[in-house]
Amino acid sequence: QVQLVESGGGLVQAGGSLRLSCVGSGRTFSMYFMGWFRQAPGKEREFVAGISGVGSITVYADSEKGRFTISRDNAKNTVYLQMNTLKPEDTAVYYCAAAAASSDYGNRRSYDYWGQGTQVTVSS
């Protein structure tokens, strides 16, 4: 069982930056592939970025490449999402999630545990 708690969301102007954090419980945090997803009102939850257990592999949705960076600190049971050059279309609730074993990391159904989400609002 893994419990995830996100933080770091807020209101920011277009072009600004935010860093989201997700703290996980348990001693096996490093065994999980971690992902960030987001869901805007009226839209499906979509994959943003993912990182392997030891951080050696990172994957991004095409629209976030070059703007977002995912990282993790297993000593702190924490995964981060650094978001730069934010756009109004990045406005959404951002969720972190943990996958025990899967190769389809872009698929939300691959994830076993989810946080409660943190709201990111980008004003124009």
Side-chain angles (χ1 to χ4, degrees):
Q1 187 81 12
V2 176
Q3 294 182 323
L4 303 170
V5 179
E6 303 97 332
S7 63
L11 174 64
V12 63
Q13 289 188 331
S17 299
L18 281 174
R19 188 176 82 155
L20 306 183
S21 300
C22 172
V23 179
S25 64
R27 295 176 293 176
T28 60
F29 182 79
S30 62
M31 297 175 63
Y32 291 88
F33 186 97
M34 298 299 296
W36 283 98
F37 286 75
R38 68 185 181 188
Q39 188 167 17
K43 295 188 176 181
E44 294 282 323
R45 191 170 299 189
E46 63 178 2
F47 174 77
V48 174
I51 187 166
S52 61
V54 296
S56 56
I57 299 172
T58 57
V59 291
Y60 296 92
D62 287 342
S63 59
E64 280 71 56
K65 283 181 181 177
R67 296 192 302 126
F68 292 4
T69 303
I70 189 170
S71 60
R72 67 189 297 163
D73 183 345
N74 287 335
K76 297 180 179 180
N77 277 15
T78 302
V79 62
Y80 304 97
L81 185 68
Q82 177 67 43
M83 305 187 295
N84 298 327
T85 318
L86 283 162
K87 306 173 183 179
E89 50 264 44
D90 294 318
T91 295
V93 177
Y94 283 70
Y95 299 89
C96 71
S102 176
S103 60
D104 189 9
Y105 295 118
N107 187 338
R108 61 183 180 178
R109 294 174 179 80
S110 298
Y111 291 80
D112 305 289
Y113 304 102
W114 291 84
Q116 82 289 348
T118 186
Q119 176 71 48
V120 171
T121 303
V122 184
S123 63
S124 57

PDB file of all heavy atoms in Angstrom, residues 6-7 11 13 19 29 40 43 45 49-50 52-53 67 73 75-76 78 83-84 91-92 94 101 104 120-121 123-124:
ATOM      1  N   GLU A   6       0.194  15.115  -2.922  1.00  0.00           N
ATOM      2  CA  GLU A   6       0.777  16.148  -3.771  1.00  0.00           C
ATOM      3  C   GLU A   6       0.709  17.518  -3.096  1.00  0.00           C
ATOM      4  O   GLU A   6      -0.161  17.766  -2.266  1.00  0.00           O
ATOM      5  CB  GLU A   6       0.028  16.253  -5.115  1.00  0.00           C
ATOM      6  CG  GLU A   6      -0.035  14.984  -5.927  1.00  0.00           C
ATOM      7  CD  GLU A   6      -1.340  14.240  -5.723  1.00  0.00           C
ATOM      8  OE1 GLU A   6      -1.931  14.373  -4.638  1.00  0.00           O
ATOM      9  OE2 GLU A   6      -1.759  13.517  -6.652  1.00  0.00           O
ATOM     10  N   SER A   7       1.601  18.390  -3.512  1.00  0.00           N
ATOM     11  CA  SER A   7       1.588  19.780  -3.062  1.00  0.00           C
ATOM     12  C   SER A   7       2.298  20.626  -4.100  1.00  0.00           C
ATOM     13  O   SER A   7       2.931  20.100  -5.016  1.00  0.00           O
ATOM     14  CB  SER A   7       2.267  19.923  -1.699  1.00  0.00           C
ATOM     15  OG  SER A   7       3.632  19.556  -1.784  1.00  0.00           O
ATOM     16  N   LEU A  11      -1.786  29.409  -8.250  1.00  0.00           N
ATOM     17  CA  LEU A  11      -2.109  30.319  -9.349  1.00  0.00           C
ATOM     18  C   LEU A  11      -0.826  30.992  -9.818  1.00  0.00           C
ATOM     19  O   LEU A  11      -0.073  31.543  -9.012  1.00  0.00           O
ATOM     20  CB  LEU A  11      -3.121  31.366  -8.879  1.00  0.00           C
ATOM     21  CG  LEU A  11      -3.464  32.488  -9.855  1.00  0.00           C
ATOM     22  CD1 LEU A  11      -4.145  31.925 -11.098  1.00  0.00           C
ATOM     23  CD2 LEU A  11      -4.358  33.525  -9.173  1.00  0.00           C
ATOM     24  N   GLN A  13       0.975  33.224 -13.375  1.00  0.00           N
ATOM     25  CA  GLN A  13       0.757  33.869 -14.665  1.00  0.00           C
ATOM     26  C   GLN A  13       1.409  33.066 -15.781  1.00  0.00           C
ATOM     27  O   GLN A  13       2.393  32.336 -15.563  1.00  0.00           O
ATOM     28  CB  GLN A  13       1.319  35.285 -14.656  1.00  0.00           C
ATOM     29  CG  GLN A  13       0.521  36.264 -13.810  1.00  0.00           C
ATOM     30  CD  GLN A  13       1.000  37.693 -13.975  1.00  0.00           C
ATOM     31  OE1 GLN A  13       2.168  37.937 -14.257  1.00  0.00           O
ATOM     32  NE2 GLN A  13       0.094  38.651 -13.802  1.00  0.00           N
ATOM     33  N   ARG A  19       6.753  24.201  -9.126  1.00  0.00           N
ATOM     34  CA  ARG A  19       7.295  22.863  -8.883  1.00  0.00           C
ATOM     35  C   ARG A  19       6.329  22.096  -7.996  1.00  0.00           C
ATOM     36  O   ARG A  19       6.057  22.511  -6.867  1.00  0.00           O
ATOM     37  CB  ARG A  19       8.678  22.908  -8.229  1.00  0.00           C
ATOM     38  CG  ARG A  19       9.303  21.508  -8.159  1.00  0.00           C
ATOM     39  CD  ARG A  19      10.703  21.507  -7.603  1.00  0.00           C
ATOM     40  NE  ARG A  19      10.725  21.543  -6.148  1.00  0.00           N
ATOM     41  CZ  ARG A  19      11.727  21.097  -5.395  1.00  0.00           C
ATOM     42  NH1 ARG A  19      12.808  20.569  -5.996  1.00  0.00           N
ATOM     43  NH2 ARG A  19      11.693  21.184  -4.088  1.00  0.00           N
ATOM     44  N   PHE A  29       9.057   2.705  -1.850  1.00  0.00           N
ATOM     45  CA  PHE A  29       8.778   3.785  -2.809  1.00  0.00           C
ATOM     46  C   PHE A  29       9.652   3.664  -4.050  1.00  0.00           C
ATOM     47  O   PHE A  29       9.187   3.873  -5.173  1.00  0.00           O
ATOM     48  CB  PHE A  29       8.999   5.134  -2.126  1.00  0.00           C
ATOM     49  CG  PHE A  29       8.701   6.315  -3.001  1.00  0.00           C
ATOM     50  CD1 PHE A  29       7.396   6.722  -3.212  1.00  0.00           C
ATOM     51  CD2 PHE A  29       9.720   7.053  -3.601  1.00  0.00           C
ATOM     52  CE1 PHE A  29       7.099   7.826  -4.011  1.00  0.00           C
ATOM     53  CE2 PHE A  29       9.446   8.154  -4.390  1.00  0.00           C
ATOM     54  CZ  PHE A  29       8.130   8.542  -4.597  1.00  0.00           C
ATOM     55  N   ALA A  40      -8.118  18.424 -16.782  1.00  0.00           N
ATOM     56  CA  ALA A  40      -8.795  19.714 -16.896  1.00  0.00           C
ATOM     57  C   ALA A  40     -10.301  19.480 -16.862  1.00  0.00           C
ATOM     58  O   ALA A  40     -10.770  18.376 -17.186  1.00  0.00           O
ATOM     59  CB  ALA A  40      -8.384  20.405 -18.189  1.00  0.00           C
ATOM     60  N   LYS A  43     -12.446  17.180 -19.336  1.00  0.00           N
ATOM     61  CA  LYS A  43     -11.522  16.415 -20.171  1.00  0.00           C
ATOM     62  C   LYS A  43     -11.065  15.141 -19.466  1.00  0.00           C
ATOM     63  O   LYS A  43     -11.191  15.007 -18.252  1.00  0.00           O
ATOM     64  CB  LYS A  43     -10.308  17.267 -20.545  1.00  0.00           C
ATOM     65  CG  LYS A  43     -10.644  18.459 -21.434  1.00  0.00           C
ATOM     66  CD  LYS A  43      -9.385  19.146 -21.931  1.00  0.00           C
ATOM     67  CE  LYS A  43      -9.718  20.267 -22.879  1.00  0.00           C
ATOM     68  NZ  LYS A  43      -8.499  20.936 -23.403  1.00  0.00           N
ATOM     69  N   ARG A  45      -8.392  12.418 -17.990  1.00  0.00           N
ATOM     70  CA  ARG A  45      -7.110  12.523 -17.299  1.00  0.00           C
ATOM     71  C   ARG A  45      -6.006  12.089 -18.272  1.00  0.00           C
ATOM     72  O   ARG A  45      -6.104  11.031 -18.888  1.00  0.00           O
ATOM     73  CB  ARG A  45      -7.099  11.634 -16.053  1.00  0.00           C
ATOM     74  CG  ARG A  45      -5.922  11.859 -15.137  1.00  0.00           C
ATOM     75  CD  ARG A  45      -6.109  11.136 -13.812  1.00  0.00           C
ATOM     76  NE  ARG A  45      -7.290  11.621 -13.095  1.00  0.00           N
ATOM     77  CZ  ARG A  45      -7.579  11.268 -11.842  1.00  0.00           C
ATOM     78  NH1 ARG A  45      -6.772  10.442 -11.176  1.00  0.00           N
ATOM     79  NH2 ARG A  45      -8.670  11.729 -11.263  1.00  0.00           N
ATOM     80  N   ALA A  49       4.070  13.039 -17.431  1.00  0.00           N
ATOM     81  CA  ALA A  49       5.467  12.612 -17.355  1.00  0.00           C
ATOM     82  C   ALA A  49       5.576  11.411 -16.429  1.00  0.00           C
ATOM     83  O   ALA A  49       4.711  11.191 -15.573  1.00  0.00           O
ATOM     84  CB  ALA A  49       6.356  13.738 -16.844  1.00  0.00           C
ATOM     85  N   GLY A  50       6.646  10.637 -16.606  1.00  0.00           N
ATOM     86  CA  GLY A  50       6.871   9.482 -15.753  1.00  0.00           C
ATOM     87  C   GLY A  50       8.356   9.261 -15.531  1.00  0.00           C
ATOM     88  O   GLY A  50       9.197   9.724 -16.308  1.00  0.00           O
ATOM     89  N   SER A  52      11.231   6.202 -13.833  1.00  0.00           N
ATOM     90  CA  SER A  52      11.439   4.857 -13.315  1.00  0.00           C
ATOM     91  C   SER A  52      11.872   4.892 -11.851  1.00  0.00           C
ATOM     92  O   SER A  52      12.186   5.952 -11.298  1.00  0.00           O
ATOM     93  CB  SER A  52      12.490   4.134 -14.154  1.00  0.00           C
ATOM     94  OG  SER A  52      13.728   4.825 -14.089  1.00  0.00           O
ATOM     95  N   GLY A  53      11.919   3.710 -11.251  1.00  0.00           N
ATOM     96  CA  GLY A  53      12.164   3.598  -9.821  1.00  0.00           C
ATOM     97  C   GLY A  53      13.451   4.251  -9.334  1.00  0.00           C
ATOM     98  O   GLY A  53      13.481   4.892  -8.283  1.00  0.00           O
ATOM     99  N   ARG A  67       9.527  21.671 -21.516  1.00  0.00           N
ATOM    100  CA  ARG A  67       8.979  22.627 -20.542  1.00  0.00           C
ATOM    101  C   ARG A  67       8.903  22.033 -19.142  1.00  0.00           C
ATOM    102  O   ARG A  67       9.079  22.736 -18.155  1.00  0.00           O
ATOM    103  CB  ARG A  67       7.585  23.089 -20.952  1.00  0.00           C
ATOM    104  CG  ARG A  67       7.526  23.854 -22.250  1.00  0.00           C
ATOM    105  CD  ARG A  67       6.176  24.532 -22.426  1.00  0.00           C
ATOM    106  NE  ARG A  67       5.072  23.587 -22.391  1.00  0.00           N
ATOM    107  CZ  ARG A  67       4.025  23.688 -21.583  1.00  0.00           C
ATOM    108  NH1 ARG A  67       3.933  24.691 -20.727  1.00  0.00           N
ATOM    109  NH2 ARG A  67       3.045  22.798 -21.634  1.00  0.00           N
ATOM    110  N   ASP A  73      13.546  11.852  -5.566  1.00  0.00           N
ATOM    111  CA  ASP A  73      14.528  11.687  -4.495  1.00  0.00           C
ATOM    112  C   ASP A  73      14.001  10.560  -3.613  1.00  0.00           C
ATOM    113  O   ASP A  73      13.134  10.780  -2.763  1.00  0.00           O
ATOM    114  CB  ASP A  73      14.682  12.997  -3.721  1.00  0.00           C
ATOM    115  CG  ASP A  73      15.735  12.913  -2.640  1.00  0.00           C
ATOM    116  OD1 ASP A  73      16.153  11.799  -2.295  1.00  0.00           O
ATOM    117  OD2 ASP A  73      16.144  13.971  -2.140  1.00  0.00           O
ATOM    118  N   ALA A  75      15.371   8.969  -1.259  1.00  0.00           N
ATOM    119  CA  ALA A  75      15.690   9.114   0.168  1.00  0.00           C
ATOM    120  C   ALA A  75      14.594   9.890   0.890  1.00  0.00           C
ATOM    121  O   ALA A  75      14.408   9.737   2.103  1.00  0.00           O
ATOM    122  CB  ALA A  75      17.027   9.818   0.341  1.00  0.00           C
ATOM    123  N   LYS A  76      13.877  10.720   0.128  1.00  0.00           N
ATOM    124  CA  LYS A  76      12.785  11.514   0.692  1.00  0.00           C
ATOM    125  C   LYS A  76      11.420  10.996   0.264  1.00  0.00           C
ATOM    126  O   LYS A  76      10.404  11.635   0.558  1.00  0.00           O
ATOM    127  CB  LYS A  76      12.925  12.981   0.269  1.00  0.00           C
ATOM    128  CG  LYS A  76      14.182  13.660   0.787  1.00  0.00           C
ATOM    129  CD  LYS A  76      14.245  15.110   0.335  1.00  0.00           C
ATOM    130  CE  LYS A  76      15.483  15.797   0.881  1.00  0.00           C
ATOM    131  NZ  LYS A  76      15.570  17.223   0.443  1.00  0.00           N
ATOM    132  N   THR A  78      10.022  11.139  -2.538  1.00  0.00           N
ATOM    133  CA  THR A  78       9.381  12.271  -3.203  1.00  0.00           C
ATOM    134  C   THR A  78       9.681  12.281  -4.692  1.00  0.00           C
ATOM    135  O   THR A  78      10.811  12.011  -5.107  1.00  0.00           O
ATOM    136  CB  THR A  78       9.853  13.604  -2.581  1.00  0.00           C
ATOM    137  OG1 THR A  78       9.563  13.603  -1.183  1.00  0.00           O
ATOM    138  CG2 THR A  78       9.144  14.786  -3.235  1.00  0.00           C
ATOM    139  N   MET A  83       7.699  22.659 -13.657  1.00  0.00           N
ATOM    140  CA  MET A  83       6.946  23.125 -14.818  1.00  0.00           C
ATOM    141  C   MET A  83       7.356  24.564 -15.131  1.00  0.00           C
ATOM    142  O   MET A  83       7.197  25.452 -14.285  1.00  0.00           O
ATOM    143  CB  MET A  83       5.437  23.054 -14.537  1.00  0.00           C
ATOM    144  CG  MET A  83       4.966  21.679 -14.118  1.00  0.00           C
ATOM    145  SD  MET A  83       3.179  21.561 -13.976  1.00  0.00           S
ATOM    146  CE  MET A  83       2.869  22.675 -12.610  1.00  0.00           C
ATOM    147  N   ASN A  84       7.893  24.764 -16.313  1.00  0.00           N
ATOM    148  CA  ASN A  84       8.341  26.082 -16.749  1.00  0.00           C
ATOM    149  C   ASN A  84       7.525  26.548 -17.944  1.00  0.00           C
ATOM    150  O   ASN A  84       6.876  25.745 -18.626  1.00  0.00           O
ATOM    151  CB  ASN A  84       9.827  26.029 -17.118  1.00  0.00           C
ATOM    152  CG  ASN A  84      10.718  25.647 -15.947  1.00  0.00           C
ATOM    153  OD1 ASN A  84      10.438  25.982 -14.795  1.00  0.00           O
ATOM    154  ND2 ASN A  84      11.799  24.943 -16.239  1.00  0.00           N
ATOM    155  N   THR A  91      -3.651  24.579 -17.234  1.00  0.00           N
ATOM    156  CA  THR A  91      -4.550  24.611 -16.082  1.00  0.00           C
ATOM    157  C   THR A  91      -5.276  23.283 -15.929  1.00  0.00           C
ATOM    158  O   THR A  91      -5.902  22.790 -16.866  1.00  0.00           O
ATOM    159  CB  THR A  91      -5.574  25.749 -16.236  1.00  0.00           C
ATOM    160  OG1 THR A  91      -4.885  27.003 -16.208  1.00  0.00           O
ATOM    161  CG2 THR A  91      -6.605  25.713 -15.125  1.00  0.00           C
ATOM    162  N   ALA A  92      -5.151  22.694 -14.746  1.00  0.00           N
ATOM    163  CA  ALA A  92      -5.735  21.374 -14.490  1.00  0.00           C
ATOM    164  C   ALA A  92      -5.454  20.988 -13.040  1.00  0.00           C
ATOM    165  O   ALA A  92      -4.671  21.654 -12.351  1.00  0.00           O
ATOM    166  CB  ALA A  92      -5.132  20.321 -15.425  1.00  0.00           C
ATOM    167  N   TYR A  94      -3.482  18.315 -11.045  1.00  0.00           N
ATOM    168  CA  TYR A  94      -2.348  17.443 -11.317  1.00  0.00           C
ATOM    169  C   TYR A  94      -2.289  16.352 -10.254  1.00  0.00           C
ATOM    170  O   TYR A  94      -2.363  16.632  -9.051  1.00  0.00           O
ATOM    171  CB  TYR A  94      -1.052  18.244 -11.331  1.00  0.00           C
ATOM    172  CG  TYR A  94      -0.876  19.035 -12.605  1.00  0.00           C
ATOM    173  CD1 TYR A  94      -1.682  20.134 -12.873  1.00  0.00           C
ATOM    174  CD2 TYR A  94       0.073  18.671 -13.557  1.00  0.00           C
ATOM    175  CE1 TYR A  94      -1.545  20.857 -14.055  1.00  0.00           C
ATOM    176  CE2 TYR A  94       0.230  19.381 -14.737  1.00  0.00           C
ATOM    177  CZ  TYR A  94      -0.590  20.469 -14.978  1.00  0.00           C
ATOM    178  OH  TYR A  94      -0.445  21.170 -16.167  1.00  0.00           O
ATOM    179  N   ALA A 101       4.136  -2.371 -11.649  1.00  0.00           N
ATOM    180  CA  ALA A 101       4.748  -3.098 -12.756  1.00  0.00           C
ATOM    181  C   ALA A 101       3.904  -2.914 -13.996  1.00  0.00           C
ATOM    182  O   ALA A 101       2.756  -3.318 -14.034  1.00  0.00           O
ATOM    183  CB  ALA A 101       4.867  -4.578 -12.436  1.00  0.00           C
ATOM    184  N   ASP A 104       3.182   0.079 -19.944  1.00  0.00           N
ATOM    185  CA  ASP A 104       2.321   1.062 -20.593  1.00  0.00           C
ATOM    186  C   ASP A 104       2.130   2.245 -19.669  1.00  0.00           C
ATOM    187  O   ASP A 104       1.040   2.474 -19.134  1.00  0.00           O
ATOM    188  CB  ASP A 104       0.980   0.406 -20.947  1.00  0.00           C
ATOM    189  CG  ASP A 104       0.124   1.302 -21.823  1.00  0.00           C
ATOM    190  OD1 ASP A 104       0.636   2.354 -22.286  1.00  0.00           O
ATOM    191  OD2 ASP A 104      -1.061   0.963 -22.031  1.00  0.00           O
ATOM    192  N   VAL A 120      -3.545  23.437 -10.391  1.00  0.00           N
ATOM    193  CA  VAL A 120      -2.653  24.401 -11.042  1.00  0.00           C
ATOM    194  C   VAL A 120      -3.515  25.271 -11.941  1.00  0.00           C
ATOM    195  O   VAL A 120      -4.238  24.759 -12.803  1.00  0.00           O
ATOM    196  CB  VAL A 120      -1.559  23.691 -11.860  1.00  0.00           C
ATOM    197  CG1 VAL A 120      -0.781  24.701 -12.705  1.00  0.00           C
ATOM    198  CG2 VAL A 120      -0.623  22.922 -10.936  1.00  0.00           C
ATOM    199  N   THR A 121      -3.436  26.570 -11.740  1.00  0.00           N
ATOM    200  CA  THR A 121      -4.185  27.512 -12.559  1.00  0.00           C
ATOM    201  C   THR A 121      -3.213  28.517 -13.162  1.00  0.00           C
ATOM    202  O   THR A 121      -2.458  29.161 -12.433  1.00  0.00           O
ATOM    203  CB  THR A 121      -5.244  28.245 -11.734  1.00  0.00           C
ATOM    204  OG1 THR A 121      -6.123  27.294 -11.128  1.00  0.00           O
ATOM    205  CG2 THR A 121      -6.063  29.179 -12.621  1.00  0.00           C
ATOM    206  N   SER A 123      -2.972  31.850 -15.418  1.00  0.00           N
ATOM    207  CA  SER A 123      -3.745  32.967 -15.956  1.00  0.00           C
ATOM    208  C   SER A 123      -3.038  33.578 -17.161  1.00  0.00           C
ATOM    209  O   SER A 123      -1.813  33.599 -17.237  1.00  0.00           O
ATOM    210  CB  SER A 123      -3.946  34.025 -14.883  1.00  0.00           C
ATOM    211  OG  SER A 123      -2.708  34.567 -14.485  1.00  0.00           O
ATOM    212  N   SER A 124      -3.832  34.096 -18.063  1.00  0.00           N
ATOM    213  CA  SER A 124      -3.267  34.690 -19.294  1.00  0.00           C
ATOM    214  C   SER A 124      -2.976  36.164 -19.115  1.00  0.00           C
ATOM    215  O   SER A 124      -3.353  36.767 -18.139  1.00  0.00           O
ATOM    216  CB  SER A 124      -4.220  34.477 -20.457  1.00  0.00           C
ATOM    217  OG  SER A 124      -5.475  35.035 -20.159  1.00  0.00           O
TER     218      SER A 124
END
